[in-house]
Amino acid sequence: MKAIDYCEKIFDGTHDSPKPNAEGKHYLINSKNISTGQIDYNGAYKISDDDYNKIIKRSGVKKGDILISMIGTIGNLCIVDDDSPDYAIKNMGVFRCKNSVDRNKLFYYLQTNDFKQKSNNFLNSSIQKFLTLDFIRNLDIQKEILDKIDVDKLTRVDLLIKHNNDVINVLINKIKECSICAL
């Protein structure tokens, strides 16, 4: 089936480049800001309320949306987990599914070799490397693969990975604080 038929809605972020605004309250998130399944605000900048409102009219994200990087770093994913996301997106695709079960299956499907092969074939056929909105909307999702995805098991593995990353970050911070290590 096509992704557009599987999802409630598929859209992309702005293609404009709003200027940084020191007084801005809202971040502009792009492909570089998706890291390890989460949004990384390092390198992101704030934009004006006017730019933010203009962008979210067309491409405002909601809790549960899947973000995929489409330009530059391609194929990085995260699920929006903020109740009220307070950022705008640029150069990213958004999959909005009808329910959390469909969302989780699609999230893991987008990490399969099947998806990677399809996106690599598409990328290799173009001069500039980026995924188009048309590509992600018309992505042919293999139902046989989707049906084999064990969301519960993969979610448990992801939680263990997140826990281990949190422990690593705590240890790194402890090492940085250690006066002996600073010598």
Side-chain angles (χ1 to χ4, degrees), residues 20-127:
N21 184 311
E23 287 98 41
K25 299 177 195 132
H26 314 281
Y27 280 101
L28 180 68
I29 302 298
N30 63 37
S31 295
K32 293 180 254 178
N33 300 113
I34 298 179
S35 175
T36 62
Q38 297 178 344
I39 293 178
D40 179 1
Y41 291 91
N42 288 326
Y45 61 84
K46 293 189 176 184
I47 57 176
S48 72
D49 286 346
D50 287 343
D51 285 336
Y52 171 77
N53 289 325
K54 186 166 63 170
I55 293 168
I56 66 163
K57 247 185 226 179
R58 178 185 172 277
S59 53
V61 297
K62 295 181 180 179
K63 182 174 184 167
D65 286 349
I66 299 171
L67 302 180
I68 183 169
S69 57
M70 296 171 59
I71 297 176
T73 306
I74 296 169
N76 283 351
L77 301 164
C78 80
I79 296 175
V80 175
D81 61 358
D82 303 311
D83 288 325
S84 299
D86 196 21
Y87 50 83
I89 60 168
K90 174 183 170 75
N91 298 335
M92 284 195 276
V94 180
F95 295 93
R96 181 168 294 153
C97 293
K98 298 168 184 131
N99 57 59
S100 62
V101 172
D102 288 353
R103 179 208 53 223
N104 291 340
K105 282 195 173 265
L106 180 61
F107 179 74
Y108 289 115
Y109 179 81
L110 294 171
Q111 297 175 59
T112 65
N113 287 335
D114 186 63
F115 172 73
K116 290 175 185 172
Q117 182 178 5
K118 287 175 181 171
S119 60
N120 283 335
N121 289 343
F122 177 81
L123 292 169
N124 290 333
S125 68
S126 66
I127 295 170

Side-chain angles (χ1 to χ4, degrees), residues 165-175:
N165 286 337
D166 290 346
V167 169
I168 290 168
N169 287 332
V170 166
L171 292 173
I172 288 170
N173 288 331
K174 292 289 184 190
I175 288 171

